[in-house]
Amino acid sequence: MKALLFISLYGLSAFWVSGDLNYDAAQRAELKAAYKLTLAFPELNFDMPVELTSANDDKDLIYLVEQKGRIMVYPNRRDVGEATVFLDIVRKVDSGGEKGLLGLAFHPDYKRNGYFYLNYTRSSPLQTIISRFKVSDNEPLRADPKSEEILLTYAQPYSNHNGGKIAFGKDGYLYISAGDGGSGGDPRNNGQDRKEFLGKILRIDVNKPLGNKKYSIPPDNPFRGNKAGYREEIYAYGLRNVWRFNFDYETEQLWAGDVGQNELEEIDIIEKGGNYGWRIMEAEDCFRMESCNQDGLILPLWSYRQGSATGKSVTGGYVCRDRSLPGLYGKYVYGDYVSGNIWALTYSGKRAVKNELIARLSDGLSSFGEDSRKNLYVLAYSSGKVYRLEPND
Ligand SMILES: [Ca+2]
Ligand SMILES: [Ca+2]
């Protein structure tokens, strides 16, 4: 018998999983997890949290993004009793399924300029908006809702696969994940079409507006100045739906989880100008046998086959730099939205050495987060809770 288990945030709107719930419960009980998940802020509850970050200033505050279009802020203390609204753009945002306010990044010089950047979807027509907002002049815990400057928009042909992550690199440039636009199987071949923003990681310089644009193209972007009509904003391509990527600030490597179609979930280290294969390939498998030319494609650092024990939608995480977790330090901690599995991947150079299942979250692993001290957090989408990992001894 099949049971409808989940309405997927990242896959198609719903899917069926073989096996019954009892089997799944038994599997969960069997796991002698090396780590347990403990509530990071027991008094706080959020509405569909999708991102947790800090502002690169000397205030130890946490900013938490709710998918419908709110950013909450609170002091980084376990006993904190209340979070307040930093920004509310619920009325601007088209949310639900994979749409919504999906990403937040503070300017590296936020302390001085008060700028932060959002990645969200808007309707009529459905599109992704990359915009800048500013904190209020006289209220440091409140953004100015009227301060929006739109930097970049691109149409979303389908409601799913909107990417969502946005982050600054150490190079000071803003990196943006644009999913392949949606449906299934990338019907328009956006991943391989360098004339499109979709199916890419983009990189722009927000500090140097140029001409009629509120940003410029970094001098070493791979397709800058090309004559083929390729988008100069492209940093890497051939990506299906990188829901979450993050930088390891110690190595400056960009780690991404690229959500798969029906077979494989993958982890990539993203390199400038790299072609990560979609829709020619789904991770290491040929997706289209009739045209599976693998020349020049970068295969994943790691992948796992979809299944009830593994999962169906990778949630990219962080190379752990959390000093309270010495056993995980330097490993790539990531998970799966559907199964709730959390793994730690040990790697050497660009080769995976070991992949350990370390914990399991039962209520929708939407994202990992990091505070200003690089402490690692786990966000539970359906319960609205924020967790930390703790050794289970
Ligand atoms: Ca879409
Ligand atoms: Ca790939």
Side-chain angles (χ1 to χ4, degrees):
M1 182 174 165
K2 290 186 169 194
L4 181 60
L5 290 180
F6 301 96
I7 302 300
S8 168
L9 177 60
Y10 312 121
L12 298 171
S13 60
F15 51 79
W16 295 79
V17 177
S18 298
D20 60 42
L21 290 164
N22 291 333
Y23 175 77
D24 193 46
Q27 286 272 300
R28 279 162 199 256
E30 262 176 38
L31 173 74
K32 292 191 175 52
Y35 287 80
K36 60 187 171 195
L37 291 158
T38 55
L39 289 173
F41 312 105
E43 301 300 315
L44 302 186
N45 246 321
F46 300 97
D47 182 18
M48 296 189 279
V50 290
E51 183 77 303
L52 180 155
T53 190
S54 68
N56 319 303
D57 56 8
D58 47 15
K59 298 179 186 123
D60 194 8
L61 296 169
I62 283 182
Y63 294 82
L64 187 137
V65 177
E66 296 180 332
Q67 187 184 3
K68 284 179 186 163
R70 282 200 314 180
I71 302 171
M72 308 300 289
V73 62
Y74 57 95
N76 188 4
R77 292 196 322 260
R78 189 175 186 279
D79 63 350
V80 60
E82 192 189 19
T84 59
V85 177
F86 180 66
L87 179 71
D88 183 340
I89 55 164
V90 170
R91 278 180 298 177
K92 285 190 180 194
V93 173
D94 182 9
S95 85
E98 299 177 26
K99 297 178 295 179
L101 174 52
L102 306 176
L104 159 67
F106 287 87
H107 192 283
D109 207 7
Y110 175 74
K111 198 175 160 181
R112 194 183 54 82
N113 61 28
Y115 292 152
F116 62 94
Y117 299 80
L118 301 182
N119 184 342
Y120 67 91
T121 51
R122 184 169 77 178
S123 59
S124 313
L126 181 58
Q127 56 187 173
T128 286
I129 309 290
I130 306 298
S131 65
R132 185 190 80 195
F133 281 78
K134 193 176 185 299
V135 72
S136 304
D137 289 334
N138 42 21
E139 283 181 280
L141 296 185
R142 228 171 227 290
D144 175 359
K146 296 193 180 72
S147 62
E148 182 171 27
E149 286 269 14
I150 293 177
L151 274 65
L152 182 62
T153 67
Y154 39 90
Q156 284 292 351
Y158 305 95
S159 67
N160 58 345
H161 300 186
N162 306 315
K165 180 70 186 185
I166 185 168
F168 282 91
K170 248 188 177 169
D171 53 19
Y173 301 137
L174 186 64
Y175 291 70
I176 300 155
S177 170
D180 71 9
S183 184
D186 193 9
R188 301 183 188 194
N189 197 22
N190 288 321
Q192 294 298 318
D193 185 352
R194 284 170 281 175
K195 293 177 181 169
E196 295 289 338
F197 288 117
L198 298 168
K200 312 297 184 312
I201 287 180
L202 311 172
R203 183 175 75 163
I204 59 176
D205 184 350
V206 299
N207 296 316
K208 291 182 184 152
L210 187 68
N212 59 358
K213 287 202 168 92
K214 295 193 170 68
Y215 63 88
S216 55
I217 304 297
D220 63 333
N221 263 21
F223 304 113
R224 186 184 156 126
N226 79 84
K227 301 284 185 277
Y230 299 157
R231 297 281 186 181
E232 294 180 296
E233 289 86 350
I234 295 170
Y235 183 74
Y237 65 108
L239 296 157
R240 183 176 177 275
N241 194 30
V242 174
W243 159 240
R244 286 297 177 247
F245 69 77
N246 287 293
F247 288 95
D248 174 9
Y249 286 92
E250 290 205 4
T251 61
E252 299 185 41
Q253 280 177 326
L254 197 175
W255 288 74
D258 197 10
V259 177
Q261 182 72 37
N262 295 319
E263 297 294 336
L264 290 157
E265 301 297 316
E266 71 179 76
I267 304 295
D268 297 296
I269 295 180
I270 301 293
E271 290 175 8
K272 185 169 66 181
N275 180 355
Y276 288 82
W278 179 248
R279 66 175 184 184
I280 302 165
M281 302 185 76
E282 181 182 7
E284 296 89 351
D285 285 2
C286 287
F287 185 68
R288 293 179 173 251
M289 294 307 294
E290 72 279 12
S291 57
C292 192
N293 180 352
Q294 301 180 30
D295 289 352
L297 305 184
I298 301 176
L299 296 184
L301 174 83
W302 178 253
S303 69
Y304 59 93
R305 205 155 281 280
Q306 294 181 3
S308 54
T310 51
K312 294 210 168 205
S313 183
V314 67
T315 298
Y318 287 82
V319 173
C320 180
R321 300 298 177 191
D322 186 332
R323 299 275 172 196
S324 72
L325 298 167
L328 298 177
Y329 195 87
K331 296 180 183 178
Y332 180 66
V333 177
Y334 70 101
D336 187 281
Y337 170 71
V338 177
S339 67
N341 284 350
I342 299 175
W343 293 280
L345 183 70
T346 306
Y347 55 94
S348 169
K350 283 173 188 153
R351 200 169 58 85
V353 173
K354 188 166 67 167
N355 188 56
E356 301 160 89
L357 181 61
I358 57 168
R360 194 173 280 156
L361 180 74
S362 58
D363 38 3
L365 204 184
S366 58
S367 196
F368 293 84
E370 247 186 13
D371 66 17
S372 58
R373 295 183 303 248
K374 306 291 177 204
N375 291 320
L376 190 65
Y377 297 87
V378 180
L379 305 189
Y381 185 69
S382 43
S383 67
K385 288 291 188 185
V386 178
Y387 292 93
R388 294 205 59 182
L389 287 160
E390 236 180 74
N392 211 354
D393 43 32

